[in-house]
């Protein structure tokens, strides 16, 4: 009897242990972290939020520099390269086996696991400089949209001859305050809702810009532009070259999102494998954004021809139809609030992870304070996170106020970032991951792709530098009005 009782007790313990393991497996992933819940749709929302920024509104200007032949071809080529290299990068999320290999939580973790050494430091500097630059660029872009709303209402109220001069400084401060609040969201996985809202907003203003372009073409009955873009005579030969290069930079920046792809992939649940889900999300996102880019760029160019403005929405005037343009600009601001967070969360995570590694005993850095919220689960508050993220937002806001033409400098960052982050590192990591033999046909083709994109990035950076030089000639700190 005692023997049977012991067996029964043992079997009960085994069942209990199994039930604990099952419960834990439902709550935690294979790396011991909380179960990830992301899907192909949340990943697509993150990507679309990151890719379709206010840069979509400058594509009509970019097509105007390149013309009807080169403009659409360049956009298609950039979309193909971005999708292809993003698919390569998706395979590098796990080291070794794509299903059960060790996870790489960030882009730099993937570089460390596959390439290591000096390349990790170079990657880090380029990636985080880009993220910092994008934060500044988005602050400026949002202030321009808020100014456009203020001016359109002013023109509508006082007539189109009213001066309606507006300073960008207070609007940058307003945007900064909002970002300080949203930056306290602890990590990427908790901003999925913000990404979806931002993605909807990006479709809203892109659609309005597209609709106004179509309406203008229908109204005039003419398709503007030429096969080769702005003709020499309207601009000098050197201006034509620099502006064409700058157009490459604008398109390259519009497609640069690979630097946060691994972080987005780390939000995905499995099975199926994260790489499979990410490739599907990338295909959906790049296809959708390319269609929008082509439509906005081409219809904008068709509407305005060689006079296509740097911002498609401002080209339609500030006061007619003022309400529609107000909606579009409000959508831009809301989108940029979300996009700012999507880009900055990897930088936030890196700084906080590094600080915790350097000072593991510091309660200021590691202690989490639970703040109860009625009707919701407690919010985790961390003093170091509050202070350092607030300082970060303040710095980006102040630099934006000092250099309100910083979009050109962000173009330089985009040009420099496109080749290493979107092409070079994904290609090199994929070669190591898949053990591709040196001088094999596939290895040569991948290297040719990398070199071609390097040349394009250098040309784009040169064109963006020329734009900065032009801006500096009329620059006055804190005195810029629109």
């Amino acid at each position: 009897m005692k023997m049977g009782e012991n067996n029964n007790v043992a079997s009960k313990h085994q069942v209990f242990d199994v039930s604990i393991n099952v419960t834990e497996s439902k709550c935690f992933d294979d790396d011991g972290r909380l179960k990830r819940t992301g899907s192909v749709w949340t990943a697509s929302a993150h990507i679309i939020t990151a890719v379709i920024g206010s840069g979509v509104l400058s594509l009509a200007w970019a097509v105007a520099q390149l013309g009807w032949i080169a403009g659409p071809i360049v956009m298609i080529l950039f979309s193909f390269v971005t999708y292809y290299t993003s698919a390569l990068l998706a395979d590098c999320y796990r080291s070794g086996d794509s299903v059960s290999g060790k996870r790489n939580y960030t882009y730099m973790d993937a570089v460390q696991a596959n390439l290591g050494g000096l390349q990790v430091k170079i990657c880090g500097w380029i990636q985080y400089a880009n993220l910092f630059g994008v934060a500044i660029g988005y602050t400026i872009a949002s202030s321009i949209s808020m100014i456009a709303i203020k001016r359109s209402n002013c023109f509508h109220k006082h007539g189109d001859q009213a001066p309606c001069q507006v300073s960008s400084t207070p609007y940058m401060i307003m945007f900064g305050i909002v970002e300080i609040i949203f930056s306290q969201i602890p990590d990427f996985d908790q901003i999925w809702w913000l990404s979806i809202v931002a993605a909807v907003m990006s479709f809203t203003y892109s659609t309005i810009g597209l609709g106004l372009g179509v309406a203008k073409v229908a109204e005039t009955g003419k398709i503007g532009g030429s096969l080769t873009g702005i003709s020499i005579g309207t601009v000098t030969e050197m201006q034509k070259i620099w502006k064409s290069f700058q157009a490459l930079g604008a398109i390259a920046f519009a497609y640069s999102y690979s630097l946060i792809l691994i972080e987005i992939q780390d939000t995905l649940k499995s099975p199926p494998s994260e790489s499979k889900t990410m490739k599907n999300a990338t295909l959906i996102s790049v296809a959708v954004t390319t269609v929008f880019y082509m439509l906005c760029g081409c219809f904008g160019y068709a509407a305005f021809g060689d006079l296509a403005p740097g911002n498609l929405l401002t080209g339609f005037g500030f006061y007619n139809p003022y309400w529609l343009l107000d909606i579009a600009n409000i959508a831009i601001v809301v989108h940029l609030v979300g996009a700012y967070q999507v880009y900055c969360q990897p930088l936030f995570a890196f700084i906080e992870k590094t600080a915790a590694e350097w000072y593991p005993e510091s309660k200021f850095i590691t202690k989490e304070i639970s703040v109860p919220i009625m009707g919701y689960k407690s919010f985790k508050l961390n003093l170091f996170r509050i202070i350092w993220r607030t300082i970060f937002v303040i710095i980006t806001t102040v630099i934006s106020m000092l250099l309100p033409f910083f979009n050109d400098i962000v173009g330089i960052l985009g040009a420099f970032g496109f080749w290493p982050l979107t092409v070079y590192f994904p290609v090199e990591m994929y070669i190591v991951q898949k053990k591709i033999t040196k001088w094999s046909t596939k290895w040569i083709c991948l290297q040719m792709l990398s070199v071609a994109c390097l040349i394009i990035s250098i040309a784009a950076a040169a064109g963006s530098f020329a734009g900065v030089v032009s801006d500096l000639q009329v620059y006055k700190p804190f005195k810029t009005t629109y």
Side-chain angles (χ1 to χ4, degrees):
M1 289 294 292
K2 286 183 180 180
M3 194 74 164
E5 286 174 3
N6 287 337
N7 286 339
N8 287 336
V9 171
S11 64
K12 286 178 181 178
H13 278 302
Q14 287 172 357
V15 171
F16 183 66
D17 289 341
V18 169
S19 67
I20 290 175
N21 290 334
V22 170
T23 303
E24 286 183 351
S25 68
K26 288 181 179 179
C27 297
F28 299 95
D29 273 325
D30 54 4
D31 59 347
R33 294 193 176 192
L34 285 175
K35 202 82 172 175
R36 294 156 177 85
T37 58
S39 66
V40 66
W41 300 114
T42 60
S44 298
H46 282 315
I47 295 170
I48 291 170
T49 301
V51 179
I52 302 185
S54 57
V56 67
L57 302 174
S58 67
L59 291 176
W61 177 88
V63 175
Q65 312 313 308
L66 300 171
W68 279 116
I69 297 176
I73 289 174
V74 167
M75 278 198 279
I76 290 172
L77 287 175
F78 269 103
S79 67
F80 171 76
V81 170
T82 301
Y83 169 70
Y84 181 71
T85 57
S86 296
L88 300 184
L89 187 57
D91 283 331
C92 300
Y93 172 65
R94 287 182 183 265
S95 299
D97 187 82
S98 62
V99 177
S100 59
K102 179 182 175 294
R103 295 175 185 266
N104 296 307
Y105 302 117
T106 66
Y107 192 106
M108 279 186 68
D109 286 345
V111 176
Q112 176 72 61
N114 291 283
L115 302 177
L118 180 62
Q119 298 204 54
V120 179
K121 294 181 179 179
I122 295 172
C123 171
W125 280 108
I126 295 171
Q127 181 183 9
Y128 296 125
N130 263 271
L131 295 175
F132 185 74
V134 167
I136 295 169
Y138 280 0
T139 302
I140 296 166
S142 66
S143 71
I144 290 171
S145 289
M146 287 186 271
I147 287 168
I149 296 169
K150 177 73 174 177
R151 292 192 70 195
S152 69
N153 292 330
C154 176
F155 284 131
H156 182 71
K157 185 176 181 180
H158 301 291
D160 60 327
Q161 300 303 316
C164 295
Q165 293 294 306
V166 182
S167 172
S168 62
T169 299
Y171 296 100
M172 290 183 185
I173 293 172
M174 287 169 56
F175 184 81
I177 291 170
V178 172
E179 291 303 342
I180 286 174
I181 296 169
F182 278 112
S183 68
Q184 300 311 315
I185 297 173
D187 56 50
F188 223 141
D189 201 34
Q190 296 179 32
I191 62 169
W192 60 269
W193 60 272
L194 190 59
S195 280
I196 291 174
V197 170
V200 170
M201 293 299 103
S202 68
F203 280 123
T204 300
Y205 68 73
S206 297
T207 303
I208 291 174
L210 170 62
L212 290 172
V214 172
K216 192 169 183 68
V217 171
E219 180 186 344
T220 60
K222 296 179 181 178
I223 295 178
S226 63
L227 296 179
T228 56
I230 293 177
S231 57
I232 295 172
T234 306
V235 294
T236 65
E237 289 186 15
M238 283 307 298
Q239 285 176 327
K240 172 70 175 177
I241 293 171
W242 290 128
K243 286 181 179 293
S244 295
F245 287 167
Q246 198 172 354
L248 293 177
I251 297 172
F253 184 69
Y255 275 105
S256 294
Y257 82 96
S258 294
L259 71 168
I260 57 171
L261 187 144
I262 295 290
E263 283 83 348
I264 292 174
Q265 193 166 343
D266 191 45
T267 67
L268 298 176
K269 61 185 176 184
S270 64
S273 68
E274 299 90 352
S275 61
K276 182 178 179 181
T277 304
M278 198 64 196
K279 287 175 184 178
N280 291 334
T282 300
L283 180 60
I284 292 168
S285 305
V286 172
V288 169
T289 53
T290 299
V291 168
F292 266 94
Y293 282 2
M294 292 286 286
L295 291 174
C296 289
C298 293
F299 271 106
Y301 184 40
F304 294 101
D306 289 350
L307 299 177
N311 182 329
L312 181 61
L313 290 175
T314 61
F316 294 101
F318 282 107
Y319 51 89
N320 187 28
Y322 82 99
W323 58 269
L324 187 59
L325 290 168
D326 283 356
I327 292 172
N329 282 300
I330 289 170
I332 289 174
V333 174
V334 174
H335 171 257
L336 291 177
V337 168
Y340 186 105
Q341 290 303 316
V342 169
Y343 271 98
C344 289
Q345 283 292 337
L347 178 56
F348 292 160
F350 170 72
I351 295 295
E352 286 152 24
K353 177 185 174 185
T354 303
E357 288 174 354
W358 286 0
Y359 306 102
E361 303 300 323
S362 172
K363 291 185 178 180
F364 170 68
I365 292 174
T366 59
K367 187 177 180 181
E368 297 277 350
I369 303 170
S370 292
V371 179
I373 301 175
M374 191 176 294
Y376 297 92
K377 61 182 181 180
S378 297
F379 182 77
K380 298 294 185 182
L381 210 60
N382 177 278
L383 292 178
F384 175 69
R385 183 169 64 232
I386 291 174
I387 293 171
W388 115 256
R389 292 190 183 190
T390 300
I391 291 172
F392 174 87
V393 175
I394 290 171
I395 290 172
T396 58
T397 305
V398 170
I399 294 176
S400 300
M401 291 187 288
L402 282 169
L403 305 173
F405 60 88
F406 206 79
N407 277 329
D408 287 323
I409 298 176
V410 169
I412 294 171
L413 291 170
F416 276 122
F418 179 78
W419 173 70
L421 297 175
T422 303
V423 183
Y424 173 76
F425 285 118
V427 164
E428 294 301 316
M429 285 191 289
Y430 182 79
I431 288 172
V432 171
Q433 180 92 341
K434 300 300 182 182
K435 297 180 174 61
I436 297 172
T437 307
K438 195 172 185 178
W439 301 113
S440 64
T441 303
K442 189 166 187 178
W443 185 90
I444 292 171
C445 290
L446 288 170
Q447 296 300 335
M448 287 174 62
L449 172 66
S450 184
V451 170
C453 291
L454 171 61
I455 293 169
I456 291 171
S457 288
I458 291 171
S464 297
F465 270 120
V468 172
V469 171
S470 176
D471 283 334
L472 283 171
Q473 294 174 356
V474 294
Y475 168 61
K476 292 181 180 179
F478 293 114
K479 294 183 179 178
T480 301
T481 55
Y482 296 87

